[in-house]
Coordinates of all heavy atoms in Angstrom, one line a residue:
M1 N 101.9 150.6 82.6 CA 101.3 149.3 82.9 C 101.7 148.3 81.9 O 101.5 148.5 80.7 CB 99.8 149.5 83.0 CG 99.1 148.3 83.6 SD 97.4 148.9 84.0 CE 96.7 147.4 84.3
L2 N 102.1 147.2 82.3 CA 102.5 146.1 81.3 C 101.3 145.3 80.9 O 100.5 144.9 81.7 CB 103.5 145.2 82.0 CG 104.9 145.8 82.3 CD1 105.7 144.8 83.1 CD2 105.6 146.1 81.0
K3 N 101.2 145.2 79.6 CA 100.1 144.4 79.1 C 100.5 142.9 78.9 O 99.7 142.0 79.0 CB 99.6 144.9 77.7 CG 99.0 146.3 77.9 CD 98.2 146.6 76.6 CE 97.6 148.0 76.9 NZ 96.3 148.1 76.4
T4 N 101.8 142.7 78.7 CA 102.2 141.3 78.6 C 103.2 141.1 79.7 O 104.1 141.9 80.0 CB 102.9 141.0 77.2 OG1 104.0 141.9 77.1 CG2 101.9 141.2 76.1
K5 N 103.1 139.9 80.3 CA 104.0 139.6 81.4 C 104.9 138.4 80.9 O 104.4 137.4 80.5 CB 103.2 139.1 82.6 CG 103.9 138.9 83.8 CD 103.0 138.6 85.0 CE 103.8 138.5 86.3 NZ 102.9 138.2 87.4
P6 N 106.2 138.6 80.9 CA 107.0 137.5 80.4 C 107.0 136.3 81.4 O 106.9 136.5 82.6 CB 108.4 138.1 80.4 CG 108.4 139.3 81.3 CD 106.9 139.7 81.3
V7 N 107.0 135.1 80.8 CA 106.9 133.9 81.6 C 108.4 133.4 81.7 O 109.0 133.1 80.7 CB 106.0 132.9 81.0 CG1 106.0 131.6 81.8 CG2 104.6 133.4 80.9
N8 N 108.9 133.3 82.9 CA 110.2 132.8 83.1 C 110.1 131.4 83.6 O 109.4 131.1 84.6 CB 111.0 133.6 84.1 CG 111.2 135.0 83.5 OD1 111.4 135.2 82.4 ND2 111.2 136.0 84.4
Q9 N 110.9 130.5 83.0 CA 110.9 129.1 83.5 C 112.4 128.9 83.9 O 113.3 129.1 83.2 CB 110.5 128.1 82.5 CG 109.0 128.1 82.2 CD 108.6 126.9 81.4 OE1 109.4 126.4 80.7 NE2 107.3 126.6 81.4
F10 N 112.5 128.3 85.1 CA 113.8 128.0 85.6 C 113.9 126.5 85.9 O 113.1 125.9 86.5 CB 114.1 128.8 87.0 CG 114.0 130.3 86.8 CD1 112.8 130.9 87.2 CD2 115.1 131.0 86.3 CE1 112.8 132.3 87.1 CE2 115.0 132.3 86.2 CZ 113.8 133.0 86.6
S11 N 115.0 126.0 85.4 CA 115.2 124.5 85.6 C 115.9 124.4 86.9 O 116.6 125.3 87.4 CB 116.0 123.9 84.5 OG 117.2 124.5 84.3
A12 N 115.8 123.3 87.5 CA 116.5 123.0 88.8 C 118.0 123.0 88.6 O 118.5 122.5 87.6 CB 116.0 121.7 89.4
V13 N 118.7 123.7 89.5 CA 120.1 123.7 89.4 C 120.7 122.6 90.2 O 120.4 122.5 91.4 CB 120.7 125.1 89.9 CG1 122.2 125.1 89.9 CG2 120.1 126.2 89.1
V14 N 121.5 121.8 89.6 CA 122.0 120.6 90.2 C 123.6 120.7 90.2 O 124.2 120.7 89.1 CB 121.6 119.3 89.5 CG1 122.2 118.1 90.2 CG2 120.1 119.2 89.5
D15 N 124.2 120.9 91.4 CA 125.6 121.0 91.4 C 126.3 119.9 92.2 O 127.5 119.9 92.4 CB 126.0 122.4 92.0 CG 125.5 122.6 93.4 OD1 124.8 121.7 93.9 OD2 125.9 123.6 94.0
D16 N 125.5 118.9 92.5 CA 126.0 117.8 93.3 C 125.9 116.5 92.5 O 124.9 116.3 91.8 CB 125.2 117.6 94.6 CG 125.8 116.6 95.5 OD1 126.7 115.9 95.1 OD2 125.3 116.5 96.7
V17 N 126.9 115.7 92.5 CA 126.9 114.5 91.7 C 125.8 113.5 92.1 O 125.2 112.9 91.3 CB 128.3 113.8 91.8 CG1 128.3 112.5 90.9 CG2 129.4 114.7 91.4
K18 N 125.5 113.5 93.4 CA 124.5 112.7 93.9 C 123.1 113.2 93.8 O 122.1 112.6 94.3 CB 124.8 112.4 95.4 CG 126.1 111.7 95.7 CD 126.3 111.6 97.1 CE 127.7 111.0 97.4 NZ 128.0 110.9 98.8
A19 N 122.9 114.3 93.2 CA 121.6 115.0 93.1 C 120.8 114.6 91.9 O 119.7 115.1 91.7 CB 121.8 116.5 93.1
A20 N 121.2 113.6 91.1 CA 120.5 113.2 89.9 C 119.1 112.7 90.3 O 118.1 113.1 89.6 CB 121.2 112.1 89.2
P21 N 118.8 112.0 91.4 CA 117.5 111.6 91.7 C 116.6 112.8 92.0 O 115.4 112.8 91.7 CB 117.6 110.8 93.0 CG 119.0 110.3 93.0 CD 119.8 111.3 92.3
F22 N 117.1 113.9 92.6 CA 116.3 115.1 92.8 C 116.0 115.8 91.6 O 114.9 116.3 91.4 CB 117.1 116.0 93.8 CG 117.3 115.4 95.2 CD1 118.6 115.1 95.6 CD2 116.2 115.2 96.0 CE1 118.8 114.5 96.8 CE2 116.4 114.6 97.2 CZ 117.7 114.3 97.7
S23 N 116.9 115.8 90.6 CA 116.6 116.4 89.3 C 115.6 115.6 88.6 O 114.7 116.2 88.0 CB 117.9 116.4 88.5 OG 117.7 117.0 87.3
D24 N 115.6 114.3 88.7 CA 114.6 113.5 88.1 C 113.2 113.7 88.7 O 112.2 113.8 88.1 CB 114.9 112.0 88.2 CG 116.1 111.6 87.4 OD1 116.5 112.3 86.5 OD2 116.7 110.5 87.7
L25 N 113.2 113.8 90.1 CA 112.0 114.1 90.8 C 111.4 115.5 90.4 O 110.2 115.6 90.2 CB 112.2 114.1 92.3 CG 111.0 114.3 93.2 CD1 109.9 113.3 92.9 CD2 111.5 114.3 94.6
Q26 N 112.3 116.5 90.3 CA 111.8 117.8 89.8 C 111.2 117.8 88.5 O 110.2 118.4 88.2 CB 113.0 118.8 89.9 CG 112.6 120.2 89.5 CD 111.6 120.8 90.5 OE1 111.9 120.8 91.7 NE2 110.5 121.3 90.0
S27 N 111.8 117.0 87.6 CA 111.2 116.8 86.2 C 109.9 116.2 86.2 O 108.9 116.6 85.5 CB 112.2 116.0 85.3 OG 113.4 116.6 85.2
R28 N 109.7 115.2 87.1 CA 108.4 114.5 87.2 C 107.4 115.4 87.8 O 106.2 115.5 87.3 CB 108.5 113.2 88.0 CG 109.3 112.2 87.4 CD 109.4 110.9 88.2 NE 110.3 110.0 87.6 CZ 110.7 108.9 88.2 NH1 110.3 108.6 89.5 NH2 111.5 108.0 87.6
L29 N 107.7 116.2 88.8 CA 106.8 117.2 89.4 C 106.4 118.2 88.4 O 105.2 118.6 88.3 CB 107.4 117.8 90.7 CG 107.5 116.9 91.9 CD1 108.4 117.6 93.0 CD2 106.2 116.6 92.4
D30 N 107.4 118.7 87.6 CA 107.1 119.7 86.6 C 106.1 119.1 85.6 O 105.1 119.8 85.2 CB 108.4 120.1 85.9 CG 109.3 121.0 86.7 OD1 108.8 121.6 87.8 OD2 110.5 121.1 86.4
E31 N 106.3 117.9 85.2 CA 105.4 117.2 84.3 C 104.0 117.1 84.8 O 103.0 117.4 84.1 CB 105.9 115.9 83.9 CG 105.1 115.2 82.8 CD 105.6 113.8 82.5 OE1 106.8 113.5 82.8 OE2 104.8 113.0 82.0
L32 N 103.9 116.8 86.1 CA 102.5 116.7 86.7 C 101.8 118.0 86.7 O 100.7 118.1 86.4 CB 102.7 116.2 88.2 CG 103.0 114.7 88.4 CD1 103.3 114.4 89.8 CD2 101.8 113.8 87.9
Q33 N 102.6 119.1 87.1 CA 102.0 120.4 87.1 C 101.6 120.9 85.7 O 100.6 121.5 85.5 CB 102.9 121.4 87.8 CG 102.9 121.2 89.3 CD 103.7 122.2 90.1 OE1 104.8 122.5 89.8 NE2 103.0 122.8 91.1
D34 N 102.5 120.6 84.7 CA 102.2 120.9 83.3 C 100.9 120.2 82.8 O 100.2 120.8 82.0 CB 103.4 120.6 82.4 CG 104.6 121.5 82.7 OD1 104.4 122.6 83.3 OD2 105.7 121.1 82.2
N35 N 100.6 119.1 83.4 CA 99.4 118.3 83.0 C 98.2 118.7 83.8 O 97.2 118.1 83.7 CB 99.7 116.8 83.1 CG 100.6 116.3 82.0 OD1 100.6 116.9 80.9 ND2 101.4 115.4 82.3
G36 N 98.3 119.8 84.7 CA 97.1 120.3 85.3 C 97.0 120.0 86.8 O 96.1 120.5 87.4
M37 N 97.9 119.2 87.4 CA 97.8 119.0 88.8 C 98.3 120.2 89.6 O 99.4 120.7 89.3 CB 98.6 117.7 89.2 CG 98.4 117.3 90.6 SD 99.2 115.8 91.1 CE 98.1 114.6 90.4
T38 N 97.6 120.6 90.6 CA 98.0 121.8 91.3 C 98.9 121.4 92.5 O 99.0 120.3 92.9 CB 96.8 122.5 91.9 OG1 96.2 121.7 92.9 CG2 95.8 122.9 90.8
A39 N 99.6 122.4 93.0 CA 100.5 122.2 94.1 C 99.7 121.8 95.3 O 100.2 120.9 96.1 CB 101.3 123.5 94.4
L40 N 98.5 122.3 95.5 CA 97.7 121.9 96.6 C 97.3 120.4 96.5 O 97.2 119.7 97.6 CB 96.4 122.7 96.7 CG 96.6 124.2 97.0 CD1 95.3 125.0 96.9 CD2 97.3 124.4 98.4
T41 N 97.0 119.9 95.3 CA 96.7 118.5 95.2 C 97.9 117.6 95.5 O 97.8 116.6 96.2 CB 96.2 118.2 93.7 OG1 95.1 119.1 93.4 CG2 95.8 116.8 93.5
I42 N 99.1 118.1 95.0 CA 100.3 117.3 95.3 C 100.5 117.3 96.8 O 100.9 116.2 97.4 CB 101.5 117.9 94.6 CG1 101.3 117.7 93.1 CG2 102.8 117.3 95.0 CD1 102.3 118.5 92.2
R43 N 100.3 118.4 97.5 CA 100.5 118.4 99.0 C 99.5 117.5 99.7 O 99.9 116.8 100.6 CB 100.3 119.9 99.5 CG 100.5 120.0 101.0 CD 100.5 121.4 101.4 NE 99.2 122.1 101.0 CZ 98.5 122.8 101.8 NH1 98.9 123.0 103.1 NH2 97.4 123.3 101.4
G44 N 98.3 117.4 99.2 CA 97.3 116.5 99.7 C 97.8 115.0 99.6 O 97.6 114.2 100.5
I45 N 98.3 114.7 98.4 CA 98.7 113.3 98.1 C 99.9 113.0 99.0 O 100.0 111.9 99.6 CB 99.1 113.2 96.6 CG1 97.8 113.3 95.8 CG2 99.9 111.9 96.4 CD1 98.1 113.4 94.3
L46 N 100.8 113.9 99.2 CA 102.0 113.7 100.1 C 101.6 113.5 101.5 O 102.1 112.7 102.2 CB 103.0 114.8 99.9 CG 103.7 114.9 98.6 CD1 104.6 116.2 98.6 CD2 104.6 113.7 98.4
F47 N 100.6 114.3 102.0 CA 100.1 114.1 103.3 C 99.5 112.7 103.5 O 99.8 112.1 104.5 CB 99.0 115.2 103.7 CG 98.5 115.1 105.0 CD1 99.2 115.3 106.2 CD2 97.1 114.7 105.2 CE1 98.7 115.2 107.4 CE2 96.6 114.6 106.5 CZ 97.4 114.8 107.6
H48 N 98.7 112.3 102.6 CA 98.0 111.0 102.8 C 99.1 109.9 102.6 O 99.0 108.8 103.3 CB 96.9 110.8 101.8 CG 95.7 111.6 102.2 ND1 94.8 111.1 103.1 CD2 95.2 112.8 101.8 CE1 93.9 112.0 103.3 NE2 94.1 113.1 102.5
K49 N 100.1 110.1 101.8 CA 101.2 109.1 101.8 C 101.9 109.0 103.1 O 102.3 107.9 103.6 CB 102.2 109.5 100.6 CG 103.3 108.5 100.4 CD 102.7 107.1 100.0 CE 103.8 106.1 99.8 NZ 103.2 104.8 99.5
M50 N 102.1 110.2 103.8 CA 102.7 110.2 105.1 C 101.9 109.4 106.1 O 102.4 108.6 106.9 CB 102.9 111.6 105.6 CG 103.5 111.7 107.0 SD 103.5 113.3 107.8 CE 103.8 114.5 106.5
L51 N 100.5 109.5 106.0 CA 99.6 108.7 106.8 C 99.8 107.3 106.5 O 99.7 106.4 107.4 CB 98.2 109.2 106.7 CG 97.9 110.7 107.2 CD1 96.5 111.0 107.0 CD2 98.3 110.9 108.6
D52 N 99.9 106.9 105.2 CA 100.1 105.5 104.8 C 101.3 104.9 105.4 O 101.3 103.8 105.9 CB 100.2 105.4 103.3 CG 98.9 105.7 102.6 OD1 97.8 105.7 103.2 OD2 98.9 105.9 101.4
L53 N 102.4 105.7 105.4 CA 103.7 105.2 106.0 C 103.6 105.0 107.5 O 104.4 104.2 108.0 CB 104.8 106.2 105.6 CG 105.2 106.3 104.2 CD1 106.2 107.5 104.0 CD2 105.8 105.0 103.7
H54 N 102.7 105.7 108.1 CA 102.5 105.5 109.6 C 101.4 104.6 109.9 O 100.9 104.5 111.0 CB 102.3 106.9 110.2 CG 103.5 107.7 110.4 ND1 104.0 108.4 109.3 CD2 104.4 107.8 111.4 CE1 105.1 109.0 109.7 NE2 105.4 108.7 111.0
S55 N 100.9 103.9 108.9 CA 99.8 102.8 109.0 C 98.5 103.4 109.6 O 97.9 102.7 110.4 CB 100.3 101.7 109.9 OG 101.5 101.1 109.3
V56 N 98.2 104.6 109.2 CA 96.9 105.1 109.6 C 95.8 104.5 108.7 O 95.9 104.6 107.5 CB 96.9 106.7 109.5 CG1 95.5 107.3 109.8 CG2 98.0 107.3 110.3
P57 N 94.8 103.9 109.3 CA 93.7 103.3 108.5 C 93.0 104.2 107.6 O 92.9 105.4 107.9 CB 92.7 102.7 109.5 CG 93.5 102.7 110.8 CD 94.6 103.7 110.7
A58 N 92.5 103.7 106.5 CA 91.9 104.6 105.5 C 90.6 105.3 106.0 O 90.3 106.3 105.5 CB 91.5 103.7 104.2
D59 N 90.0 104.7 107.0 CA 88.7 105.3 107.5 C 89.0 106.1 108.8 O 88.0 106.4 109.5 CB 87.7 104.2 107.8 CG 88.2 103.1 108.7 OD1 89.4 103.1 109.1 OD2 87.3 102.3 109.2
H60 N 90.2 106.4 109.1 CA 90.5 107.1 110.4 C 90.2 108.6 110.2 O 90.3 109.2 109.1 CB 92.0 106.9 110.7 CG 92.3 107.3 112.1 ND1 92.5 108.6 112.5 CD2 92.4 106.6 113.3 CE1 92.8 108.7 113.8 NE2 92.7 107.4 114.3
A61 N 89.8 109.2 111.3 CA 89.4 110.7 111.3 C 90.6 111.6 110.8 O 90.3 112.7 110.3 CB 88.9 111.1 112.7
L62 N 91.8 111.2 111.0 CA 92.9 112.0 110.6 C 92.9 112.3 109.1 O 93.3 113.3 108.6 CB 94.3 111.3 110.9 CG 94.7 111.4 112.3 CD1 96.0 110.5 112.5 CD2 95.0 112.8 112.8
R63 N 92.4 111.3 108.3 CA 92.3 111.5 106.9 C 91.2 112.5 106.4 O 91.3 113.0 105.3 CB 92.1 110.2 106.2 CG 93.3 109.2 106.4 CD 93.2 108.0 105.5 NE 94.3 107.1 105.8 CZ 95.5 107.1 105.1 NH1 95.6 108.0 104.1 NH2 96.4 106.3 105.3
E64 N 90.3 112.8 107.3 CA 89.3 113.8 107.0 C 89.6 115.2 107.4 O 88.9 116.1 107.1 CB 88.0 113.4 107.7 CG 87.5 112.0 107.3 CD 87.2 111.9 105.8 OE1 86.7 112.8 105.2 OE2 87.5 110.8 105.3
Q65 N 90.7 115.4 108.2 CA 91.1 116.7 108.7 C 91.7 117.5 107.6 O 92.1 117.0 106.5 CB 92.1 116.6 109.8 CG 91.6 116.0 111.1 CD 92.6 115.9 112.2 OE1 93.8 116.2 111.9 NE2 92.2 115.5 113.4
E66 N 91.7 118.8 107.8 CA 92.3 119.7 106.8 C 93.8 119.4 106.7 O 94.5 119.1 107.7 CB 92.1 121.2 107.3 CG 92.6 122.2 106.3 CD 92.3 123.6 106.8 OE1 91.3 123.8 107.4 OE2 93.1 124.5 106.5
I67 N 94.3 119.5 105.5 CA 95.7 119.2 105.3 C 96.6 120.3 105.8 O 96.3 121.5 105.5 CB 96.0 118.9 103.8 CG1 95.2 117.7 103.3 CG2 97.5 118.7 103.5 CD1 95.1 117.6 101.9
P68 N 97.6 120.0 106.7 CA 98.4 121.0 107.2 C 99.2 121.8 106.2 O 99.5 121.3 105.1 CB 99.4 120.3 108.1 CG 98.9 118.9 108.2 CD 98.0 118.7 107.1
E69 N 99.5 123.1 106.4 CA 100.2 123.9 105.5 C 101.6 123.4 105.3 O 102.2 123.4 104.2 CB 100.2 125.4 105.9 CG 98.9 126.1 105.5 CD 99.1 127.6 105.7 OE1 100.1 128.1 105.4 OE2 98.1 128.2 106.1
R70 N 102.2 123.0 106.4 CA 103.6 122.6 106.4 C 103.7 121.1 106.7 O 103.5 120.7 107.8 CB 104.4 123.4 107.4 CG 104.5 124.9 107.1 CD 105.7 125.5 107.5 NE 106.9 124.7 107.3 CZ 108.1 125.0 107.6 NH1 108.3 126.2 108.1 NH2 109.1 124.2 107.5
L71 N 104.0 120.3 105.7 CA 104.1 118.9 105.9 C 105.4 118.5 106.7 O 105.5 117.4 107.2 CB 104.1 118.2 104.6 CG 102.8 118.3 103.8 CD1 102.8 117.5 102.5 CD2 101.6 117.9 104.6
D72 N 106.4 119.4 106.8 CA 107.6 119.1 107.5 C 107.6 119.5 109.0 O 108.6 119.5 109.7 CB 108.8 119.8 106.8 CG 108.7 121.3 106.8 OD1 107.6 121.8 106.9 OD2 109.7 121.9 106.5
D73 N 106.4 119.9 109.4 CA 106.2 120.3 110.8 C 106.4 119.1 111.7 O 105.6 118.1 111.6 CB 104.8 120.9 111.0 CG 104.6 121.5 112.4 OD1 105.5 121.3 113.3 OD2 103.5 122.0 112.7
P74 N 107.3 119.1 112.7 CA 107.5 117.9 113.5 C 106.3 117.6 114.4 O 106.2 116.5 114.9 CB 108.7 118.3 114.4 CG 109.3 119.6 113.9 CD 108.3 120.1 112.9
A75 N 105.5 118.6 114.6 CA 104.3 118.3 115.4 C 103.3 117.3 114.8 O 102.6 116.6 115.5 CB 103.5 119.6 115.7
I76 N 103.4 117.2 113.5 CA 102.5 116.2 112.8 C 103.0 114.8 113.2 O 102.1 114.0 113.6 CB 102.6 116.4 111.3 CG1 102.1 117.7 110.8 CG2 101.9 115.2 110.5 CD1 102.3 118.1 109.4
I77 N 104.3 114.5 113.1 CA 104.8 113.2 113.5 C 104.6 113.0 115.0 O 104.2 111.9 115.4 CB 106.3 113.1 113.1 CG1 106.5 113.4 111.6 CG2 106.9 111.8 113.5 CD1 105.8 112.4 110.7
A78 N 104.8 114.0 115.8 CA 104.6 113.8 117.2 C 103.1 113.5 117.5 O 102.8 112.6 118.3 CB 104.9 115.1 118.0
N79 N 102.2 114.1 116.8 CA 100.8 113.8 117.0 C 100.5 112.4 116.5 O 99.7 111.6 117.2 CB 99.9 114.8 116.2 CG 98.4 114.6 116.4 OD1 98.0 114.3 117.5 ND2 97.7 114.8 115.4
L80 N 101.0 111.9 115.4 CA 100.8 110.6 115.0 C 101.3 109.6 116.0 O 100.7 108.6 116.3 CB 101.5 110.4 113.6 CG 100.8 111.0 112.4 CD1 101.8 110.9 111.2 CD2 99.5 110.4 112.1
N81 N 102.5 109.9 116.5 CA 103.1 108.9 117.5 C 102.3 108.9 118.8 O 102.1 107.8 119.4 CB 104.5 109.3 117.8 CG 105.5 109.1 116.7 OD1 105.2 108.4 115.7 ND2 106.6 109.8 116.7
E82 N 101.7 110.1 119.2 CA 100.9 110.1 120.4 C 99.6 109.3 120.2 O 99.1 108.7 121.2 CB 100.5 111.5 120.7 CG 101.6 112.4 121.4 CD 101.2 113.8 121.5 OE1 100.0 114.1 121.4 OE2 102.1 114.6 121.8
L83 N 99.1 109.2 119.0 CA 97.9 108.5 118.7 C 98.3 107.0 118.4 O 97.4 106.2 118.2 CB 97.2 109.0 117.5 CG 96.6 110.4 117.7 CD1 96.2 111.0 116.3 CD2 95.5 110.4 118.7
G84 N 99.5 106.6 118.5 CA 99.9 105.2 118.4 C 100.3 104.8 117.0 O 100.4 103.6 116.7
F85 N 100.5 105.8 116.1 CA 100.9 105.5 114.7 C 102.4 105.8 114.6 O 102.8 106.9 114.8 CB 100.1 106.3 113.7 CG 98.6 106.0 113.8 CD1 97.7 107.0 114.3 CD2 98.1 104.8 113.4 CE1 96.4 106.7 114.3 CE2 96.8 104.5 113.5 CZ 95.9 105.5 113.9
F86 N 103.1 104.7 114.2 CA 104.6 104.9 114.0 C 104.9 104.4 112.6 O 104.3 103.5 112.0 CB 105.3 104.1 115.0 CG 105.1 104.5 116.4 CD1 104.1 103.9 117.2 CD2 105.9 105.5 117.0 CE1 103.8 104.4 118.5 CE2 105.6 105.9 118.3 CZ 104.6 105.4 119.0
R87 N 106.0 105.1 112.1 CA 106.4 104.7 110.7 C 107.1 103.3 110.8 O 107.9 103.0 111.7 CB 107.4 105.7 110.2 CG 107.9 105.5 108.8 CD 108.6 106.6 108.2 NE 109.0 106.3 106.9 CZ 109.6 107.1 106.1 NH1 109.8 108.3 106.4 NH2 109.9 106.7 104.9
K88 N 106.7 102.5 109.8 CA 107.3 101.1 109.8 C 108.8 101.3 109.3 O 109.1 102.0 108.5 CB 106.6 100.3 108.7 CG 105.2 99.9 109.1 CD 104.6 99.1 108.0 CE 103.1 98.8 108.3 NZ 102.5 98.0 107.2
Q89 N 109.6 100.5 110.0 CA 111.0 100.4 109.6 C 111.2 99.5 108.4 O 110.6 98.5 108.3 CB 111.8 99.9 110.8 CG 111.8 100.8 112.0 CD 112.4 102.1 111.8 OE1 113.4 102.2 111.1 NE2 111.9 103.2 112.4
R90 N 112.0 100.0 107.5 CA 112.3 99.2 106.3 C 113.2 98.0 106.8 O 114.1 98.2 107.5 CB 113.1 100.0 105.3 CG 112.2 100.9 104.5 CD 113.1 101.4 103.4 NE 112.3 102.0 102.3 CZ 112.8 102.7 101.4 NH1 114.1 103.0 101.3 NH2 112.1 103.2 100.4
S91 N 112.9 96.9 106.2 CA 113.8 95.7 106.5 C 114.9 95.8 105.5 O 114.7 95.9 104.3 CB 113.1 94.4 106.4 OG 112.5 94.3 105.2
L92 N 116.1 95.7 106.0 CA 117.3 95.8 105.1 C 117.7 94.4 104.7 O 117.8 93.5 105.5 CB 118.5 96.5 105.9 CG 118.2 97.9 106.3 CD1 119.4 98.4 107.1 CD2 118.1 98.8 105.1
M93 N 118.0 94.3 103.4 CA 118.5 93.1 102.9 C 120.0 93.2 102.7 O 120.5 94.2 102.2 CB 117.8 92.7 101.6 CG 116.3 92.5 101.7 SD 115.6 92.1 100.2 CE 116.2 90.4 100.0
H94 N 120.7 92.2 103.1 CA 122.2 92.2 102.9 C 122.6 91.4 101.7 O 122.1 90.4 101.4 CB 122.9 91.7 104.2 CG 122.6 92.6 105.3 ND1 123.2 93.8 105.6 CD2 121.6 92.5 106.3 CE1 122.8 94.4 106.7 NE2 121.8 93.6 107.1

């Protein structure tokens, strides 16, 4: 039985020239977790940000529901659209 468990830390592997923003994001996420924020808290923040992007009011019942396990589930967006919430299109500046 092992009394000590080695802690392995792996840095994000970036092999694409365009991946610098993802590497920066990974560093920021690592910093947040190192400062005590849990993955569940981050998932909750991302879910509410998704609701913000779809213009769901702050007092809407969707914000009180349990946060889905998979934020990339297309059913979430389909449900938002069925309820009349659509993501705002960015206006492009030329």
Side-chain angles (χ1 to χ4, degrees):
M1 188 167 170
L2 293 172
K3 292 193 180 221
T4 60
K5 189 175 181 181
V7 177
N8 296 327
Q9 288 189 340
F10 299 99
S11 60
V13 177
V14 179
D15 60 355
D16 187 353
V17 181
K18 298 177 184 176
F22 297 112
S23 180
D24 293 342
L25 179 61
Q26 182 65 51
S27 297
R28 290 179 186 172
L29 288 170
D30 289 342
E31 183 180 341
L32 286 171
Q33 287 186 309
D34 290 344
N35 288 327
M37 186 176 282
T38 66
L40 293 175
T41 304
I42 294 171
R43 184 171 56 130
I45 291 168
L46 290 173
F47 177 68
H48 285 281
K49 184 62 179 174
M50 182 189 321
L51 296 180
D52 290 344
L53 290 172
H54 285 82
S55 303
V56 177
D59 59 349
H60 196 276
L62 283 173
R63 294 191 181 265
E64 301 300 321
Q65 292 181 352
E66 185 175 326
I67 297 166
E69 279 192 38
R70 296 211 36 180
L71 296 180
D72 61 343
D73 184 358
I76 297 171
I77 303 299
N79 185 36
L80 288 169
N81 292 342
E82 285 175 14
L83 294 171
F85 299 113
F86 297 91
R87 185 168 178 172
K88 292 181 182 178
Q89 296 294 323
R90 281 187 165 171
S91 58
L92 298 173
M93 296 182 72
H94 297 278

